[in-house]
Amino acid sequence: MSDLVVVLPGILGSTLRDRDGMVWEVSGRAALRAVLSLGRSLRRLTLPQGIGDEHPGDGIEPVGLMADLHVVPGIWTPLKGYDRVTKRLNSLGYTVEKGNLLLFAYDWRLSNRYNGALLARRVDEALDRLGPDAKVTFVCHSMGGLVARWCIEQCGMAERTAKLITMGTPYRGAATALEQLVNGVRKGLGPLAVDLTGFARSLPSLHQLLPEYACIESPNGLVKTTETTLPEVDTKMVADAMTFHGALSDSFADRTYAILGGKQPTATTAKIADGKVTCSRTFEGDELYGDATVPMVGAARKGLALSSNTLHRVTEQHTSLQDNAAVLDMVESFLTSKPIVPRNVTMTEPQVSVPDLVLVGEDLEVTVELRDTTARAVKVALLDENGKQVEARVPAISEAMSVKFGELAPGAYYVQVSGTAVGAPVVPVTSAVLVADCPAV
């Protein structure tokens, strides 16, 4: 077993504060209120132009890992918190109190280079306390894997690192970041939309989530973000983000364990027209899927075939990877080298599409697709933020069907698609959504 385990959350996954108090903090009961109140904090959180890899000196500092649902609509996918992965590590004997578990909160607004260098210093200090031969294993969700890669490959931590375990890390970026940066925030959010667009475009971290792979349609085939002009996006920030990706290599590949969410409809390529981006689920004519946020082609290191047996797939959405039992079984297996068999077995794997946010008065529309299987019934359940079922449908699906939930009160919800009591087993897939009444901010 590793001497030290470090948990890194993804973008939005750390709480932030300044000298006046918390400026980004959320709990399940306050998810919606936290999002709307963020609109009042954007002046403090928006970064200055040309920040690069520096800290703005604005007094904002990270505090801890998000424990529950967190989201900023238009920035990234709604995500569950990190309590469950922490508890699993506690069960293996890794605790903050013992000094062999580090929950690395970081300012997710900033460049991954900045946070990677900060991580290296923190890990060095923790390892020195454990002994000169101590080594670290990184357990990372989403963008946290990029922070850890920079730390390992560019900050001299390779010799002190035993393993890198990632869950849903966009190794080569995600088309959804391209859509968010070019198009801005979902229309219909009033003053919140304008503020969030400017905020998003100030973040080096979000630019470093842009696809590194060729993903934009052109008359000559797919091209990279640096080979065309992205409307409304800072060209220097895009070029710098691609330089960041270019500096990462395969030097630590033999000790890297990548867990990927799969079989979910996922934005993979993009078309630019009239100053806007429209995303497509296909790549060179094939639908490769992904975790509904990170496409399969962006979830593997450069030069690694998607058929590689070093990629470990679980049918789940980006929202819930760090909370998924099968994923946590894999993490435990990689960490301890015990032959633990993940809970997921060969079953029907639904593809689920759920919006990140809807407004009060709108229907919440859930689309479920079943590919390469016979028609069967599935359970589509709407759960409140505490996991209590609010409503459920049991439609019989042959290929694709939409289920609508209406008259929803403002708040945070989960949509879970699973099997019924009878029939072939279905892999459960969980998504998060906010219902907002959008008061003035």
Side-chain angles (χ1 to χ4, degrees), residues 26-269:
V26 71
S27 68
R29 292 183 178 276
L32 182 61
R33 186 172 66 251
V35 169
L36 295 176
S37 66
L38 179 64
R40 294 189 290 271
S41 303
L42 288 177
R43 184 169 297 175
R44 286 182 289 172
L45 288 175
T46 299
L47 297 172
Q49 187 174 7
I51 184 66
D53 298 327
E54 302 301 320
H55 192 286
D58 55 3
I60 302 294
E61 59 181 22
V63 180
L65 272 56
M66 287 291 191
D68 221 318
L69 180 69
H70 51 283
V71 58
V72 179
I75 304 296
W76 201 243
T77 304
L79 297 166
K80 289 187 175 182
Y82 297 92
D83 272 9
R84 194 169 183 183
V85 64
T86 301
K87 289 177 181 176
R88 177 65 74 96
L89 293 170
N90 292 162
S91 74
L92 299 176
Y94 294 101
T95 68
V96 172
E97 293 74 19
K98 290 180 180 178
N100 62 357
L101 176 64
L102 172 62
L103 305 178
F104 183 72
Y106 61 92
D107 188 339
W108 40 263
R109 303 174 303 159
L110 307 180
S111 164
N112 289 317
R113 296 188 189 96
Y114 175 90
N115 284 316
L118 178 62
L119 174 64
R121 294 194 293 271
R122 292 281 303 279
V123 171
D124 256 337
E125 294 168 357
L127 288 174
D128 286 345
R129 288 192 292 269
L130 292 172
D133 298 323
K135 291 201 172 186
V136 60
T137 291
F138 295 100
V139 176
C140 312
H141 179 236
S142 196
M143 190 177 75
L146 298 181
V147 175
R149 286 192 73 192
W150 190 264
C151 168
I152 294 167
E153 297 182 23
Q154 298 296 322
C155 300
M157 289 302 298
E159 291 301 317
R160 305 199 78 177
T161 302
K163 299 172 184 176
L164 170 64
I165 303 171
T166 64
M167 303 170 283
T169 288
Y171 282 84
R172 302 187 67 188
T176 187
L178 177 64
E179 184 177 31
Q180 310 293 25
L181 284 169
V182 174
N183 295 353
V185 177
R186 178 189 187 280
K187 303 304 180 188
L189 286 179
L192 190 63
V194 176
D195 287 341
L196 284 178
T197 298
F199 172 57
R201 290 174 179 163
S202 79
L203 305 183
S205 58
L206 187 57
H207 289 75
Q208 289 166 355
L209 294 174
L210 285 168
E212 178 278 331
Y213 63 92
C215 68
I216 301 172
E217 294 181 17
S218 79
N220 298 316
L222 295 176
V223 298
K224 294 191 173 187
T225 56
T226 51
E227 297 171 340
T228 187
T229 300
L230 301 182
E232 305 295 337
V233 182
D234 188 315
T235 301
K236 291 183 179 179
M237 292 184 75
V238 174
D240 181 70
M242 295 307 104
T243 300
F244 165 79
H245 280 282
L248 298 173
S249 68
D250 286 339
S251 61
F252 204 75
D254 61 331
R255 286 176 279 169
T256 296
Y257 302 80
I259 303 171
L260 287 56
K263 294 296 181 75
Q264 302 307 302
T266 307
T268 303
T269 57

Side-chain angles (χ1 to χ4, degrees), residues 361-378:
E362 295 180 339
D363 286 338
L364 167 59
E365 185 171 358
V366 179
T367 301
V368 182
E369 302 174 60
L370 300 179
R371 300 290 181 89
D372 304 319
T373 187
T374 57
R376 62 195 49 185
V378 299

Side-chain angles (χ1 to χ4, degrees), residues 337-351:
S337 299
K338 294 178 182 178
I340 299 170
V341 179
R343 291 183 175 89
N344 271 4
V345 295
T346 302
M347 298 190 288
T348 297
E349 299 168 316
Q351 290 86 56

